[in-house]
Amino acid sequence: MALVNEHFLKLPGSYLFSDIAKKVNTFRITHPKQDVIRLGIGDVTRPLPPACIEAMHKAVDEMTNANTFRGYGPEQGYDFLIEAIIKHDYTPRGIHLSPTEVFVNDGAKSDTGNIGDILRHDNSVGVTDPIYPVYIDSNVMCGRAGVLEEDGKWSNVTYMPCTAENNFVPEIPDKRIDIVYLCYPNNPTGTTLTKAQLKKWVDYALANDTLILFDAAYEAFIQEEDVPHSIYEIKGAKKCAIEFRSFSKTAGFTGVRCGYTVVPKELTAATLTGERIALNRLWNRRQCTKFNGTSYITQRAAEAIYTPEGKRQIKENIDYYMNNARTMKDGLEAAGLKVYGGVNAPYIWLKTPNGVGSWRFFEQMLYEANVVGTPGVGFGPSGEGYIRLTAFGNHEDCTEAMKRIRKWLM
Amino acid sequence: MALVNEHFLKLPGSYLFSDIAKKVNTFRITHPKQDVIRLGIGDVTRPLPPACIEAMHKAVDEMTNANTFRGYGPEQGYDFLIEAIIKHDYTPRGIHLSPTEVFVNDGAKSDTGNIGDILRHDNSVGVTDPIYPVYIDSNVMCGRAGVLEEDGKWSNVTYMPCTAENNFVPEIPDKRIDIVYLCYPNNPTGTTLTKAQLKKWVDYALANDTLILFDAAYEAFIQEEDVPHSIYEIKGAKKCAIEFRSFSKTAGFTGVRCGYTVVPKELTAATLTGERIALNRLWNRRQCTKFNGTSYITQRAAEAIYTPEGKRQIKENIDYYMNNARTMKDGLEAAGLKVYGGVNAPYIWLKTPNGVGSWRFFEQMLYEANVVGTPGVGFGPSGEGYIRLTAFGNHEDCTEAMKRIRKWLM
């Protein structure tokens, strides 16, 4: 008798975005003349950089001729892309990687979700709270998260609150945790850690034999000097951290699908008897067995991001979004609101005034200002009392939304 | 202390294709003037159909403009592709599927590897032998395969031999097995089951509450009438089978990456307490958590396969490969060899003469005829004494290879 993986049944329905859609729909039907501005969406809106378009047309044309046609590529990604990644994303920061330490994928969600395959099901897990739900859900699915308790937390997961009270800097745990997820610049709060703050985590990991899963999907949005782009800027991190990167937000690849994962050769984890095993070897085996590489055409597009024109073009897009972020931050502050993020990330984390709950403020903002955000509590218990706004919309909408919020609140 | 998933350490190195490459290299260095023909490769060589090229150029151009730009798509795939799949691959065979039963992916390897996520780790597994190694390896990785025994078999896996002795028709097991992998047309043997033969498996599955994982990646190569293209042509199969399809060999998508998986709504598996759970819901949750959809550009290319021009063009490519297969089958038989497959599949399964071992014959063929195949034993114990040849090369090479083999053996 085929048996299901019952851990899946522990997962509560994930209704955040469908609940939002329902509420917005209700408003639209009851207020057909009102124009709603959506600042809740986590997807890019600017078109692909011309350098990527050109590279894709060229790659598509290569597929028309048997002499230039590409079939199966390496599961780990093509050398041309891996070399560009190392040369442009790591070498300039003094980080030396070998090509076999970089694994190209079809987006960071796949790898942040699948990485658990190579780890025992009973490792303990630590997450900052609020958090990107994939980290939790993928651990629930394999039983690693334990059981859901009455307070809405999982029994085998340590939640590290990030709120205005601690300036969004998670406290170093006073106990050992086997695996810790860190996402910086952070989704959803848009906050970052300084080098000194991140170093404390690397030191903790080295002292406790903790594996850090470092999600740097928003690295390209960093504007300030003291914010690390890669965890490997911290000495010793290669011994304790896997880093996930994505072209989704960097270059508008949410529909094109490409990212990469760095698993350093010197990174190990233990067997029950204490033998050290290189995680690079296990991840390579995982990918060779369950993945057949990323589309050749997509990889050529990703390579083009690293050309001089590509770099200039993605910077223009990022500047556009960060200009939105600035407009929003300034507008919200002018309306008397307390906001975080938006400086090194395309996310604004807005504290609701007077302790109003996330969902209540969401509805007020929808009905009074006709602006849609995302209730912070949807990202975890510590998100209660916050709203996430994203800077991925068009600039006119951002400006108009700020006007409306100001008019509503002032 | 982070602990590794120790099941990975049970996996022996997978050296089949690197061992072959090494042996071929050695030959080349010692015989620099000999021209080697490779018939071992499992990758396509014909360029992409023009209809797919055109669709990709168009989709790439859509990404240049904010109004037509596509960001995140549905994790399950775009409706336009799912509708084309149902309309062309299923409806004409009297199979009715709802769009939510089809999941577009980045290739069948991902889903045949990941499907185990939704199933308990201690289900028993059955495989035909020889077999596509992903089925076994992905089960080893989560502990489901048990331990590797001295005879080279995994303790929790039932091997169902497919050899000339049983005409490559696996015997229905005399015990319950929870999960059975069937791949038809078969890789590596190139053989098929008739409807009556496949019906026996569906009946067994229904009687024993067995889940059939049906890999139909080579469906497009079927030429004969009585060979089912989909397991759902058999009554009751929707209650017991998941079907995997791929555009890799159908349309030359090995480097483009697209396939799909069908999980019928009425398919269930049990919890320990006997509750029936719809696998469609679990697979949907798995995909929404660990996958972010297939490239939009790739999905437009896949859609183009179903246009009248696309259909004609992929038929031309398939005819080309099947003509190779015919040439090879005829040539090998004329050389006095016993061959199987090659009628409804691009694989030829060659019985070595006089009981010579797979590796020995591989080397003889390389040194005497300068032709490279794949030793059958690399696909499992029952592959010993066989060689796999593929029809994916160019026609001139196939013809020349047959001449050489004939000259060598006659």
Side-chain angles (χ1 to χ4, degrees):
Chain A
M1 183 165 73
L3 294 172
V4 299
N5 174 353
E6 293 190 31
H7 298 303
F8 271 70
L9 308 180
K10 301 177 190 168
L11 281 166
S14 174
Y15 298 125
L16 178 63
F17 288 95
S18 64
D19 280 355
I20 292 171
K22 239 180 270 171
K23 286 181 195 287
V24 173
N25 237 355
T26 305
F27 175 79
R28 282 188 154 162
I29 288 163
T30 52
H31 302 74
K33 286 180 184 165
Q34 307 291 51
D35 170 44
V36 171
I37 299 178
R38 294 172 170 276
L39 298 181
I41 190 168
D43 195 2
V44 294
T45 56
R46 307 280 300 163
L48 280 189
C52 299
I53 296 286
E54 198 186 316
M56 283 200 283
H57 279 310
K58 194 161 160 266
V60 168
D61 282 336
E62 286 179 48
M63 301 299 245
T64 60
N65 185 305
N67 295 323
T68 52
F69 174 80
R70 304 269 188 149
Y72 288 122
E75 285 94 344
Q76 303 85 352
Y78 278 101
D79 283 344
F80 63 76
L81 178 54
I82 292 175
E83 280 160 17
I85 287 167
I86 293 174
K87 184 175 168 192
H88 297 276
D89 286 347
Y90 291 97
T91 310
R93 302 192 176 276
I95 300 161
H96 299 288
L97 293 178
S98 118
T100 54
E101 293 176 304
V102 177
F103 296 84
V104 175
N105 60 33
D106 70 331
K109 189 180 181 190
S110 301
D111 281 11
T112 51
N114 291 328
I115 194 74
D117 280 11
I118 64 171
L119 301 165
R120 257 182 82 97
H121 68 283
D122 54 1
N123 282 292
S124 60
V125 175
V127 295
T128 56
D129 172 32
I131 191 197
Y132 177 51
V134 166
Y135 308 153
I136 300 263
D137 291 358
S138 60
N139 280 295
V140 174
M141 287 177 174
C142 67
R144 199 180 286 119
V147 294
L148 187 58
E149 294 178 333
E150 281 193 9
D151 59 359
K153 296 180 176 176
W154 295 87
S155 60
N156 199 32
V157 177
T158 300
Y159 292 75
M160 302 174 290
C162 292
T163 60
E165 285 67 43
N166 62 8
N167 207 21
F168 300 93
V169 178
E171 206 177 320
I172 301 288
D174 54 8
K175 60 175 181 185
R176 276 171 187 264
I177 303 176
D178 301 324
I179 304 169
V180 167
Y181 288 84
L182 296 177
C183 172
Y184 286 102
N186 187 256
N187 175 16
T189 68
T191 60
T192 50
L193 295 183
T194 63
K195 269 190 195 166
Q197 287 164 341
L198 186 58
K199 181 177 183 305
K200 286 186 189 168
W201 279 100
V202 171
D203 291 346
Y204 165 82
L206 292 172
N208 291 277
D209 200 3
T210 296
L211 174 65
I212 296 177
L213 300 176
F214 191 77
D215 186 346
Y218 299 92
E219 166 273 336
F221 294 86
I222 294 172
Q223 310 287 321
E224 292 181 321
E225 270 301 309
D226 193 36
V227 178
H229 288 244
S230 165
I231 194 167
Y232 305 121
E233 292 178 38
I234 315 293
K235 213 183 146 190
K238 278 188 182 179
K239 285 192 194 309
C240 64
I242 290 173
E243 180 163 292
F244 303 94
R245 293 273 190 110
S246 172
F247 299 113
S248 286
K249 309 296 162 67
T250 306
F253 272 41
T254 51
V256 174
R257 311 305 315 137
C258 198
Y260 64 89
T261 297
V262 179
V263 187
K265 284 283 175 74
E266 54 200 282
L267 176 66
T268 62
T271 65
L272 275 187
T273 58
E275 192 191 345
R276 306 301 305 188
I277 306 291
L279 293 182
N280 182 285
R281 173 162 76 93
L282 298 198
W283 184 246
N284 187 55
R285 193 62 156 95
R286 194 268 169 212
Q287 291 299 80
C288 289
T289 300
K290 297 195 190 183
F291 184 60
N292 236 338
T294 302
S295 158
Y296 169 69
I297 296 156
T298 297
Q299 291 190 64
R300 283 294 185 195
E303 181 193 24
I305 296 169
Y306 296 105
T307 59
E309 318 80 66
K311 282 184 179 183
R312 192 175 39 73
Q313 292 159 3
I314 65 169
K315 188 173 178 307
E316 277 170 20
N317 279 350
I318 287 167
D319 286 349
Y320 181 94
Y321 294 134
M322 290 312 290
N323 184 41
N324 284 349
R326 222 167 2 254
T327 299
M328 291 160 67
K329 193 169 184 298
D330 292 350
L332 295 165
E333 284 172 348
L337 292 164
K338 192 82 192 132
V339 298
Y340 305 92
V343 177
N344 296 300
Y347 294 119
I348 305 264
W349 193 240
L350 155 62
K351 178 107 187 79
T352 63
N354 312 316
V356 175
S358 289
W359 276 109
R360 177 121 187 258
F361 192 82
F362 164 86
E363 296 216 20
Q364 289 174 342
M365 192 164 74
L366 173 59
Y367 279 80
E368 304 297 328
N370 307 338
V371 173
V372 180
T374 310
V377 69
F379 298 98
S382 297
E384 180 56 287
Y386 294 89
I387 294 277
R388 187 188 77 171
L389 299 179
T390 81
F392 290 128
N394 77 58
H395 193 68
E396 296 67 33
D397 285 347
C398 291
T399 310
E400 169 64 17
M402 293 311 110
K403 267 192 209 152
R404 293 189 193 170
I405 290 173
R406 196 167 169 177
K407 195 175 153 203
W408 161 44
L409 290 175
M410 297 299 275
Chain B
M1 183 165 74
L3 294 172
V4 299
N5 174 355
E6 294 190 31
H7 297 304
F8 271 70
L9 308 179
K10 299 177 191 169
L11 282 166
S14 174
Y15 297 124
L16 178 63
F17 288 95
S18 63
D19 280 354
I20 292 172
K22 239 181 271 170
K23 285 181 195 289
V24 173
N25 237 354
T26 306
F27 175 79
R28 280 189 156 161
I29 289 163
T30 52
H31 302 74
K33 285 181 184 165
Q34 306 292 51
D35 170 44
V36 171
I37 298 177
R38 293 172 171 276
L39 299 181
I41 189 167
D43 196 0
V44 294
T45 55
R46 307 282 299 164
L48 280 189
C52 299
I53 296 287
E54 198 186 318
M56 284 200 280
H57 278 309
K58 194 161 161 268
V60 169
D61 282 334
E62 286 179 49
M63 301 299 247
T64 62
N65 185 306
N67 295 322
T68 52
F69 174 80
R70 304 271 187 149
Y72 289 122
E75 287 95 343
Q76 303 85 352
Y78 278 101
D79 284 342
F80 64 75
L81 178 54
I82 292 174
E83 281 160 17
I85 287 167
I86 293 174
K87 184 174 168 193
H88 296 277
D89 287 347
Y90 291 97
T91 310
R93 301 190 178 276
I95 300 161
H96 300 287
L97 293 178
S98 120
T100 54
E101 293 177 304
V102 177
F103 296 84
V104 175
N105 60 33
D106 70 330
K109 190 181 179 189
S110 301
D111 281 11
T112 51
N114 290 328
I115 194 74
D117 279 12
I118 64 170
L119 301 165
R120 259 183 81 96
H121 69 281
D122 54 1
N123 282 292
S124 58
V125 175
V127 295
T128 55
D129 173 31
I131 191 196
Y132 178 50
V134 166
Y135 308 153
I136 299 263
D137 290 358
S138 60
N139 279 295
V140 173
M141 287 176 174
C142 67
R144 199 179 286 120
V147 294
L148 187 57
E149 294 180 331
E150 282 193 10
D151 59 359
K153 297 181 176 176
W154 294 87
S155 61
N156 199 32
V157 177
T158 299
Y159 293 75
M160 301 174 290
C162 294
T163 60
E165 285 67 43
N166 62 8
N167 207 21
F168 300 92
V169 178
E171 206 176 319
I172 301 288
D174 54 8
K175 61 176 181 184
R176 274 171 188 265
I177 303 175
D178 300 325
I179 303 169
V180 167
Y181 288 83
L182 295 177
C183 172
Y184 286 101
N186 187 256
N187 175 14
T189 67
T191 60
T192 50
L193 296 183
T194 62
K195 269 190 194 165
Q197 287 163 341
L198 186 57
K199 182 177 183 304
K200 286 186 189 169
W201 279 100
V202 172
D203 291 344
Y204 166 82
L206 293 172
N208 290 277
D209 200 2
T210 297
L211 174 64
I212 296 177
L213 300 175
F214 191 76
D215 186 347
Y218 299 93
E219 167 273 336
F221 294 85
I222 294 172
Q223 310 288 320
E224 292 180 323
E225 270 300 310
D226 193 36
V227 179
H229 288 245
S230 164
I231 194 167
Y232 305 121
E233 292 178 38
I234 314 293
K235 214 182 147 193
K238 277 188 181 179
K239 285 192 193 310
C240 64
I242 290 173
E243 180 161 292
F244 303 95
R245 293 274 189 109
S246 170
F247 299 114
S248 286
K249 309 296 163 66
T250 306
F253 272 41
T254 52
V256 173
R257 312 305 314 137
C258 197
Y260 64 88
T261 297
V262 178
V263 188
K265 284 284 173 75
E266 54 201 282
L267 175 66
T268 62
T271 66
L272 274 187
T273 57
E275 194 190 345
R276 305 301 305 188
I277 306 291
L279 293 182
N280 182 285
R281 174 163 75 92
L282 299 198
W283 184 245
N284 187 55
R285 193 65 156 95
R286 193 269 167 211
Q287 291 299 82
C288 288
T289 301
K290 298 195 188 183
F291 183 60
N292 236 339
T294 302
S295 158
Y296 170 69
I297 296 156
T298 297
Q299 290 190 64
R300 282 295 185 196
E303 181 193 24
I305 296 169
Y306 295 104
T307 59
E309 317 80 67
K311 282 185 179 184
R312 193 175 38 74
Q313 291 159 4
I314 65 169
K315 186 171 180 308
E316 276 171 20
N317 280 349
I318 287 168
D319 287 349
Y320 181 95
Y321 293 134
M322 291 311 291
N323 184 41
N324 284 349
R326 222 168 1 253
T327 300
M328 291 160 68
K329 192 169 184 298
D330 293 350
L332 295 165
E333 284 173 347
L337 292 164
K338 191 82 191 133
V339 298
Y340 305 92
V343 176
N344 296 299
Y347 294 121
I348 304 265
W349 193 241
L350 154 62
K351 179 106 188 79
T352 63
N354 312 316
V356 175
S358 290
W359 276 109
R360 175 118 191 260
F361 191 81
F362 164 86
E363 297 216 20
Q364 288 173 342
M365 193 164 72
L366 174 59
Y367 280 79
E368 303 298 328
N370 308 337
V371 173
V372 180
T374 309
V377 69
F379 299 97
S382 297
E384 180 57 287
Y386 294 88
I387 294 278
R388 187 188 77 172
L389 300 179
T390 81
F392 290 127
N394 76 57
H395 192 68
E396 296 68 32
D397 284 349
C398 290
T399 310
E400 169 64 18
M402 292 311 109
K403 265 192 209 152
R404 292 189 193 169
I405 290 173
R406 196 168 169 176
K407 195 175 152 203
W408 160 45
L409 291 175
M410 298 298 277

